[in-house]
Amino acid sequence: MLLGSLCPSVSGPASRDEPLQWDTASSFYTGWSHLTSDPHSLTMAPVPPGVRFLFTFNKDQWYRAFTFILTFLLYTSFHLSRKPISIVKSELHKNCSMASELATASGGGASQLPALTSLHTDMDCSWKPFDKNNYKQLLGAMDYSFLFAYAIGMYLSGIIGERLPIRLYLTVGMLCSGLFTCLFGLGYIYNIHSLAFYVSVQVANGLVQTTGWPSVVTCISNWFGKGRRGLVMGVWNSHTSVGNILGSLIAGSYVSSNWGMSFIVPGIIIAAMGVVCFLFLIEHPNDLKTMHAQSSSPVGRQTACTGWSGVNGHKDMYLQFTQGSTKGGDEEPLLGRETAASGRVPLQQVVVVKSESEPSAISFMGALRIPGVIEFSLSLLFAKLVSYTFLFWLPLYITKAAHLDAKKAGDLSTLFDVGGIVGGILAGVISDKLGKRATTCAVMLLLAAPTLYGFSMISQFGLGPTVAMLLVCGGLVNGPYALITTAVSADLGTHKSLKGNARALSTVTAIIDGTGSVGAAVGPLLAGVLSAGGWDQVFYMLMTADFLALLFLLRLVKKELTSSKSRPISTVELKEH
């Protein structure tokens, strides 16, 4: 009787099968009331602080964190699948350059050259057709074929992405990218030596990879507002460097024994992540609201009712509901009063929509008219030229400058991406604090140019200085690149001139990154041509590109510095969409 008075909700004898319930006020589980009437005197231990911390987040915050992590991993797999070509280059042309250097060093005259040429052929020192003296141009052409297709496809991708479901669009792109990445590796397994085969695979892969960037940027921008967008995007954009690092390590582990697996393994990974995308990606917070609205009744508690003749001759299954609180506006029944009064509503009768018209997707020219899009696009063209030249040629440069094998050079090149992670986060934090995106980019570009020259000089003096300069160069080169492609693109895609039209984000992102991808295509191609005359010429080209990137930002920098309204972005109000 005492137990019944203490726990009136428990009928009959208490049992250990009685479910436990969490009491947020006491931070204890309640239940097993037959043991004691005081939950604080239970013998079980209190919940660990870490678990309490997890319970402080609401459902929306969990979904937001989940989307952040998922999109991070999705685009990590994109860059993971792009990196192997830079690692495998030194294996495609393995020893031919060494034979050429021996011929030059021997100085024995023309009579010895035929013997060395014959030795070169017999050694079969590299993978045909990259065994000739023009191997740098051929390798550069492979880079160019991928990046040129990527640049052209990017302009179309944003426009298409605005009109298709992001989840399905991204899934198809990742599955196709996995297929083409694996095809490149199968060239080794099936002993394919056709340049046309490898170029065609690169072109196809470049086209399908354009589905990635506009999709993930649109998705992450839907979930995060503008308040700390620089910091959030800076941390999130580290997926580029993380993907490059993982791609280097995976490709490097196979490059000396079976370089085909350097492509096949990343191809399988991006295809698998495409399946994960299809199963779990939530494009917009409103999608969750729609799902909850479909699973719950807007009027009241509803139960299915069958065996009824229907209303007005409709014999479909209907819902029977109990009258709840009176709802107004969008939640009022849209059927006649007679139907509503009968207490039965058809299951698939009405879909309630807002009275506001759905904004149409923005046109290409309309996106170009957004203030700042052209300037940042042209600046990114040259900034991305520098970044992608490092992405595709840094391992080969290290093998020549530091005389390391392909695996060690690939591992060392990851330090550039480590510096890029730090640089991207710093650029985001500083631009959030100052509220000046263009000025932040300009300062980093100004510092990057002399740093590149220093790297070309110091890398000749051993491993230690090379490591330090790789980290610094990575931060200064990738910082502006990361900021423009993420936070700046998201800011411009939600510009006040759009009057709340969120459907411009994918197109704006595609225009900015597509223009940058033109530079990404030109950079590695120029590096392949210029490196034949010495690596110094490549670094002069990179420094020139940095100054040109800075030049296109000067008007925006001047506007930011002279604007009396400039203030930290964290204080700018922006309606989340």
Side-chain angles (χ1 to χ4, degrees), residues 233-257:
M233 291 292 197
V235 175
W236 178 76
N237 192 65
S238 62
H239 53 52
T240 299
S241 297
V242 172
N244 292 339
I245 292 171
L246 293 177
S248 298
L249 297 177
I250 293 173
S253 62
Y254 295 104
V255 64
S256 299
S257 57

Side-chain angles (χ1 to χ4, degrees), residues 240-474:
T240 299
S241 297
V242 172
N244 292 339
I245 292 171
L246 293 177
S248 298
L249 297 177
I250 293 173
S253 62
Y254 295 104
V255 64
S256 299
S257 57
N258 182 348
W259 63 258
M261 295 301 295
S262 297
F263 291 90
I264 293 175
V265 173
I268 293 174
I269 291 175
I270 189 173
M273 291 303 300
V275 176
V276 173
C277 172
F278 176 78
L279 295 175
F280 297 105
L281 181 64
I282 306 171
E283 302 174 17
H284 199 286
N286 289 342
D287 296 341
L288 288 175
K289 298 177 183 177
T290 302
M291 181 184 68
H292 293 315
Q294 292 175 348
S295 62
S296 61
S297 168
V299 180
R301 182 178 57 85
Q302 301 178 347
T303 57
C305 177
T306 59
W308 179 54
S309 60
V311 174
N312 295 332
H314 298 285
K315 297 185 179 180
D316 301 329
M317 179 182 288
Y318 277 68
L319 292 179
Q320 186 173 3
F321 66 94
T322 58
Q323 297 291 343
S325 60
T326 303
K327 300 292 183 180
D330 293 341
E331 294 189 357
E332 290 184 0
L334 299 185
L335 303 174
R337 294 185 178 181
E338 179 182 351
T339 304
S342 66
R344 297 177 175 87
V345 181
L347 257 180
Q348 300 177 345
Q349 183 73 13
V350 178
V351 176
V352 179
V353 295
K354 293 183 179 180
S355 59
E356 300 176 0
S357 60
E358 180 71 15
S360 59
I362 194 171
S363 65
F364 184 86
M365 295 306 298
L368 286 179
R369 286 193 290 268
I370 298 174
V373 168
I374 294 178
E375 290 92 337
F376 276 113
S377 297
L378 293 175
S379 178
L380 183 63
L381 187 150
F382 293 101
K384 200 167 182 179
L385 182 152
V386 178
S387 181
Y388 266 65
T389 301
F390 272 92
L391 173 67
F392 283 92
W393 285 94
L394 182 58
L396 182 62
Y397 170 75
I398 293 175
T399 59
K400 305 302 180 184
H403 305 289
L404 299 176
D405 60 27
K407 185 179 186 309
K408 291 181 180 179
D411 293 343
L412 187 61
S413 68
T414 60
L415 294 175
F416 181 83
D417 296 298
V418 173
I421 295 175
V422 178
I425 295 174
L426 283 178
V429 172
I430 294 172
S431 66
D432 277 347
K433 187 70 175 178
L434 300 178
K436 298 177 174 63
R437 308 282 198 209
T439 305
T440 303
C441 292
V443 172
M444 298 187 80
L445 289 169
L446 184 63
L447 296 175
T451 304
L452 291 172
Y453 179 79
F455 174 69
S456 66
M457 297 292 102
I458 292 178
S459 59
Q460 310 292 332
F461 295 101
L463 192 61
T466 301
V467 169
M469 291 304 296
L470 276 174
L471 292 170
V472 176
C473 284

